[in-house]
Amino acid sequence: MSVFGELYAKCYDLVYESKEYDSEVDYVSSLIKKYAGNSKSILDLGCGTGKHAELFLNKGHSVHGVDLSDEMLEIAKKRIGEENSEVRFSCANITELSLDKKFDTVVSLFHVMGYLTTNANVGDVFRVASDHLNQGGLFIFDFWYGPGVLTDMPETRIKRFGDDDIDVTRLSEPEFFERENMVRVNYHFFIKDKKSSEIIEKSEKHDVRYFFDPELEMFCESNGFEIAQKLQWLTDESPSFGSWYVVWVLRKK
C-alpha cells in the first residue's frame, strides 16, 4: 500500500475532521489578496481529498488540483462534482508535472513539501511551481520549521476518531533522522467496523522533512523566486523557535 493508499483515503477526512480548513483558506486567500490583488486561478499541488480546493472555489477562484493518489482524487471529485467548470483534477507526481498552462497562484498546503525528502525533489517542485506561474505570480506553501521542530520535538501520541460506520484509533510514533532533517512518523491504525465488530489493523510510515531558511532560500534563488513574506502559519508574526508550522509567500520574478 502506498503512503496515501485506500485506507488513508478512507480515513483521511475522519482523522482530520477537526482541521480548520475554512480558517486556512481564509488565511491563504488573504495572503493572495495582499500580495497579488485579484489573483483568480490556483494550482493546488498535493490537493488530497479536495477540501481546500472546494473552499477556494467558494471564494471565486478556479482550481486545478494535483495529487498522486487516485483514491484521494475520487473523493475530491465526488465532493465537488466533475461538472463544475471551474475545477480540474490530475493524477500526477508533482515533481514531474507539466500541464502546459499558467496560473496566478500555486499553493502546496498541509505540509506536502515535507514529503519531498531529497534536495532533487524539492528543487523539482520549485521548478514546477515556477514553470506554471504567470509573471509576478505567487507560490505559497507551508512546512515543518526546523528550529521549532528541534525545540519541541514530536512525541508518541494516540488519537481516537469515529463516525456512524467506523471507530479509528491511531497511534503515531516518531523516529528522528538527524542527518536528513527528517522525522519518520510510524502510524498504526486500528479500524473497527461498527456493524460487524471486525477490527482491521494497518501500519504506515510517513517520512516528513523539516526545513531551515538557508536551504529554502537557495531553492528560491535558483528557480527565479523572491521572498515576499515568511510567517508563522495562520498568523501575521515572523517565525521563531516556538514555530512548528511556517508559511512562505514567494513571488515569481
Side-chain angles (χ1 to χ4, degrees), residues 26 40 66 68 74 94 101 114 122 126 134 139 141 182 187 207 209 212 218 242 249:
D26 287 345
K40 180 173 174 58
V66 180
L68 190 59
E74 284 304 310
I94 63 172
K101 185 179 179 181
V122 176
F126 270 76
N134 293 317
F139 179 26
F141 60 93
M182 188 184 77
Y187 286 117
D207 292 343
R209 177 176 178 171
F212 297 88
M218 177 189 68
V249 182

Side-chain angles (χ1 to χ4, degrees), residues 33-93:
K33 185 176 181 179
K34 180 177 180 179
Y35 293 102
N38 295 319
S39 173
K40 180 173 174 58
S41 59
I42 293 177
L43 175 62
D44 186 355
L45 300 178
C47 66
T49 61
K51 277 202 168 184
H52 285 125
E54 180 183 32
L55 294 169
F56 280 125
L57 285 170
N58 293 342
K59 285 187 170 294
H61 296 282
S62 62
V63 182
H64 193 129
V66 180
D67 204 275
L68 190 59
S69 168
D70 277 317
E71 296 89 351
M72 292 238 183
L73 290 177
E74 284 304 310
I75 294 173
K77 291 173 184 177
K78 289 177 182 177
R79 166 178 283 115
I80 297 172
E82 294 187 72
E83 70 280 358
N84 191 323
S85 62
E86 294 298 308
V87 64
R88 293 287 183 272
F89 291 106
S90 298
C91 185
N93 189 327

Side-chain angles (χ1 to χ4, degrees), residues 226-243:
E226 62 182 9
I227 301 168
Q229 190 63 274
K230 305 176 184 178
L231 296 166
Q232 295 183 40
W233 180 236
L234 297 181
T235 79
D236 58 0
E237 299 178 5
S238 297
S240 69
F241 284 106
S243 311

Side-chain angles (χ1 to χ4, degrees), residues 9 13 20 24 44 52 58 64 103-104 112 135 144 147 156 159 172 203 216 219 222 227 238 240 245 248:
D13 287 341
E20 299 177 351
E24 292 176 358
D44 186 355
H52 285 125
N58 293 342
H64 193 129
F103 297 83
D104 299 325
V112 168
Q135 199 70 28
W144 285 11
T156 298
K159 288 190 176 182
S172 56
S203 297
L216 289 179
F219 289 115
S222 60
I227 301 168
S238 297
S240 69
Y245 307 123
W248 278 22

Side-chain angles (χ1 to χ4, degrees), residues 108 110-118 122 142-144 181-183 207-211:
S108 188
F110 205 2
H111 322 312
V112 168
M113 294 294 288
Y115 285 89
L116 308 172
T117 57
T118 68
V122 176
D142 65 345
F143 59 94
W144 285 11
N181 291 353
M182 188 184 77
V183 178
D207 292 343
V208 184
R209 177 176 178 171
Y210 47 91
F211 291 95

